[in-house]
Amino acid sequence: MARRRRDRARGACLALALTLSASSALASGCRSERGSPYDCTCTFVTDFDDESRQRVTVCAADAARSIATARGCAQSGAPGPVQTCSCQPVSPPAACDVGNCALVRDD
């Protein structure tokens, strides 16, 4: 009889531990990484072999990562492969969600 109680207690402890572990994993998975915004300019070659530029804004954890994020973002609006990107931090800096990006239209 005492053995059954111990087994139930162990089972209840294990279930509680698994539930808490799963809930903390879910909670941390919902949070996005915070970074800083960057203004970037990327170059690419057009269909007519002319060099062109695409401006983008990106959110990245650091300057090195901003270039990779800008390259991917600019590629979505470029007819040819993106060649280079250069990025400058936005001033004053503000917090943003890492990975967000937007093409900037020159009007």
Side-chain angles (χ1 to χ4, degrees), residues 12-76:
C13 287
L14 180 60
L16 179 61
L18 289 174
T19 300
L20 290 174
S21 174
S23 66
S24 71
L26 287 174
S28 66
C30 293
R31 288 187 223 124
S32 58
E33 184 181 357
R34 303 300 282 171
S36 299
Y38 291 82
D39 285 328
C40 306
T41 302
C42 299
T43 61
F44 62 92
V45 176
T46 68
D47 296 339
F48 300 103
D49 292 333
D50 296 324
E51 188 174 280
S52 188
R53 298 181 187 287
Q54 175 66 58
R55 291 182 45 223
V56 296
T57 59
V58 300
C59 181
D62 57 49
R65 292 181 193 166
S66 69
I67 293 172
T69 304
R71 180 181 289 276
C73 189
Q75 190 62 63
S76 69

